[in-house]
Amino acid sequence: MSVSAWQSLGDNHASVVEIHGLWTVFQNDGGEQVVHQDLELTIERGEILSLVGGSGTGKTVLLRQILGLQKPTRGEVRVLGRAPAELSAKGAAVVGMLFQHGALFSAFNVLDNIALPLRELKLLPEELIRDAALVKLQMVGLAPEHANKMPADLSGGMIKRVALARALIMDPPLLLLDEPTAGLDPAAADSFCDLLRGLHRELGLTVVMVTHDLDTLLDLSTRIAVLADRKVIVAGTAQEVIAFDHPFIHDYFLGGRGRRALLALQDHTTETP
Amino acid sequence: MSSTAPRRSPDDASPRVERAQAGGPGPWMPRGRWTALAFSSRRQWEALERQLDDAGAGGAWDLRGIEQLDHIGAQLLWNHWGRAWPAQIELTESQKAVLDQVERFGARPPQEAAPGFWDSLHRHLAKGPVLWRVGKEGTALLGQLALDLLTLLRAPHRAPWRDISGHLYQTGATALPITALVGALIGIVLAYLISNQLRSYGAESFVVNILGLSLIRELGPVLAAVLIAGRSGSAITAQIGVMRVTEELDAMRVMGIPHGFRLVMPRVIALAIAMPLISLWTSIAALAGGMLAAQMSLDISPEFFFRQLPRAVPFSNIVLACAKSVVFGVLIALIACYYGMRVKPNTESLGRGTTSSVVSSITMVILVDALFAVLFRGIGFRF
């Protein structure tokens, strides 16, 4: 496939991810466990979509299927109009992924971790790669002095930032985040959200994230997709989702934590009209 | 902005630098897609580099012909301009935003001075002699083991018996097929080699003496120890090393579970029990192989082999072999645990620790075997 064909990928499709009739069945010893049943989901260009669901509803599995790391039992996943396996040959250039625990390469320092996808092209001059990696490092709010540190010497928040910089190095049109704010203190989580919002605006990214953090969820997402009963029961804005009548949504958003988060959101929006 | 770029060919998207009028004056006009993905073919990249060289850094630039500009493309232009804005430039709002970011985040980390000769010498000396450090830590490990064994004797009902039996199974029982195979093959090869030599002297019957003594006394125990060092030594180091990486070691310490008593001692005891048994097993397999080869090449019957063996090899050799194997087992387990505990929480250190563990335990086994050979040179021979 020629470069230009890959290039035009981005433009022609308004929807970045299309999932049709997806089934995921795990073979356990003896029985079968159906995780997804006839799941439908479309993710549009430029939105920040959050996947929400209880434990074991297959949110991370869905992310892995979008990445092409796992094959669905039945059904179709299309990313930018192509099968994920085709895309993964193009690697970080098409889909950036922030893994839950960063998944930084412990043998490389911060700069080499960020620069790795660019180096793998085996084409660009070293100086350009270094500078590009340094731009991404500073874009995620780290100082150039951190460039030579090893992943083992970083705090949890810094690991997330470095991992985000690595996911963004090729300016991919689609960014997947698995629990981006888990394990961060509130201040760090807030600044991470601001960072993501800024990057989303500047780079025109499409973001898909799995999160349990209600503040992050309500703060960032333009659309929320709720996974329950083995499918997406509702996908829409926060108001639409909360208005949907389902026991899971009731427990999730209208429980104690949900109420507090919603209240905080309302205060916030009334303060800044 | 794409409307300004005339569509000519399917290759239109490739990044390139053109002039408003070919060969004439006017601003340099980059065209196509300047994205990381577009720079992925060698041919295009080289063409682009040539064009950039022709264009030079200064002069007027018009970026409005660029279809798409990402940070990598912007960085390329920025570095080409010598990390400064060119004298004259025309560009769109979004292109300016990207280039602004490249300019704003262009700081480079301070260069760390390469360590000089005296620095590295000083750092090396500050660590102290390696032998001294290893000796100190090794002694501490041995002392801890002795204390743990005392604890075990004082309160046997509190000992981790399940761990010990589990390790005994993993290091001992599961090693039986591979040690038997290797032992039998070595026995066959050795018997063939020896029988060729003995036949020329007419001393065929001595094959039993030579095989029996060398296999039971030396080759069996050393062979078994080398195999176990490679098999179980590496496994122990990797296990404990991963426990360090996943903070399981810290969790144990917090719960008040001592590493020595629960991690080191069970492995040492298991290997101390399993090693002599495996060494005997390897010797038996090797003798069986040797017996087969002797029958085929020298016509020495198994009955004769069995009758001759006790006469040629005094029982003290088996005792010596077992005693040696106990020492080998303890050493392999201790060395493996030592390197496992020293693993730092990264993958590279884990790999290095496992390698060092196997290499040093095999070296140690051979050294100690030589020591035994010198110390017990008067025992177990019939002259």
Side-chain angles (χ1 to χ4, degrees), chain B residues 22-103:
Chain B
W28 293 102
M29 296 186 62
R31 288 183 187 281
R33 285 170 184 269
W34 288 59
T35 61
L37 205 56
F39 299 138
S40 52
S41 113
R42 160 94 31 206
R43 196 172 47 81
Q44 277 182 352
W45 171 253
E46 278 167 359
L48 181 64
E49 267 193 323
R50 265 197 309 279
Q51 287 169 357
L52 278 174
D53 279 347
D54 289 344
W61 288 75
D62 184 354
L63 305 189
R64 287 171 301 180
I66 295 181
E67 275 181 55
Q68 197 183 355
L69 182 72
D70 74 356
H71 285 88
I72 309 296
Q75 188 77 51
L76 178 62
L77 280 173
W78 186 251
N79 283 13
H80 176 69
W81 293 333
R83 305 171 69 78
W85 291 99
Q88 249 181 309
I89 186 159
E90 301 261 15
L91 75 178
T92 65
E93 198 78 12
S94 60
Q95 287 169 348
K96 183 163 173 20
V98 175
L99 275 162
D100 274 343
Q101 241 170 1
V102 170
E103 182 187 17

Side-chain angles (χ1 to χ4, degrees), chain B residues 40-269:
Chain B
S40 52
S41 113
R42 160 94 31 206
R43 196 172 47 81
Q44 277 182 352
W45 171 253
E46 278 167 359
L48 181 64
E49 267 193 323
R50 265 197 309 279
Q51 287 169 357
L52 278 174
D53 279 347
D54 289 344
W61 288 75
D62 184 354
L63 305 189
R64 287 171 301 180
I66 295 181
E67 275 181 55
Q68 197 183 355
L69 182 72
D70 74 356
H71 285 88
I72 309 296
Q75 188 77 51
L76 178 62
L77 280 173
W78 186 251
N79 283 13
H80 176 69
W81 293 333
R83 305 171 69 78
W85 291 99
Q88 249 181 309
I89 186 159
E90 301 261 15
L91 75 178
T92 65
E93 198 78 12
S94 60
Q95 287 169 348
K96 183 163 173 20
V98 175
L99 275 162
D100 274 343
Q101 241 170 1
V102 170
E103 182 187 17
R104 193 167 113 220
F105 297 129
R108 291 176 175 175
Q111 281 292 323
E112 279 177 31
F117 172 73
W118 290 111
D119 284 342
S120 44
L121 184 74
H122 189 257
R123 200 172 322 151
H124 205 71
L125 287 180
K127 271 197 268 178
V130 177
L131 257 181
W132 171 249
R133 186 165 46 89
V134 172
K136 215 164 62 176
E137 287 170 4
T139 314
L141 205 63
L142 260 180
Q144 186 61 50
L145 178 68
L147 290 177
D148 289 335
L149 284 174
L150 273 180
T151 319
L152 174 79
L153 288 180
R154 228 181 296 139
H157 57 282
R158 290 250 222 92
W161 295 114
R162 287 178 68 89
D163 289 13
I164 294 175
S165 81
H167 291 306
L168 202 53
Y169 175 74
Q170 268 170 14
T171 54
T174 57
L176 292 181
I178 184 70
T179 46
L181 179 71
V182 173
L185 289 176
I186 294 277
I188 291 173
V189 171
L190 208 60
Y192 265 114
L193 274 177
I194 294 167
S195 62
N196 278 336
Q197 305 298 315
L198 289 180
R199 207 182 294 122
S200 56
Y201 290 103
E204 284 93 338
S205 65
F206 278 96
V207 74
V208 184
N209 299 43
I210 298 177
L211 274 185
L213 210 56
S214 64
L215 286 177
I216 292 176
R217 191 181 164 103
E218 287 297 329
L219 276 179
V222 171
L223 204 59
V226 168
L227 281 173
I228 294 298
R231 201 178 165 279
S232 305
S234 60
I236 292 173
T237 308
Q239 260 174 7
I240 297 181
V242 170
M243 288 178 83
R244 161 79 69 211
V245 175
T246 55
E247 296 181 320
E248 285 171 59
L249 288 185
D250 298 336
M252 282 181 75
R253 181 161 289 166
V254 170
M255 291 178 213
I257 302 171
H259 295 162
F261 194 65
R262 287 304 296 273
L263 290 178
V264 180
M265 191 189 67
R267 288 171 167 82
V268 171
I269 292 179

Side-chain angles (χ1 to χ4, degrees), chain A residues 5-18:
Chain A
W6 277 107
Q7 300 278 298
S8 51
L9 277 182
D11 306 332
N12 308 343
H13 292 264
S15 44
V16 178
V17 180
E18 287 169 67

Side-chain angles (χ1 to χ4, degrees), chain A residues 46-96:
Chain A
E47 66 180 353
I48 302 183
L49 180 108
S50 295
L51 283 172
V52 174
S55 299
T57 49
K59 303 180 296 291
T60 304
V61 173
L62 201 59
L63 276 195
R64 290 174 62 85
Q65 284 165 343
I66 294 173
L67 283 166
L69 291 173
Q70 210 164 330
K71 260 183 89 80
T73 318
R74 243 188 287 162
E76 195 188 29
V77 178
R78 308 290 276 178
V79 179
L80 297 165
R82 299 191 183 272
E86 265 179 84
L87 289 168
S88 54
K90 281 277 158 190
V94 184
V95 185

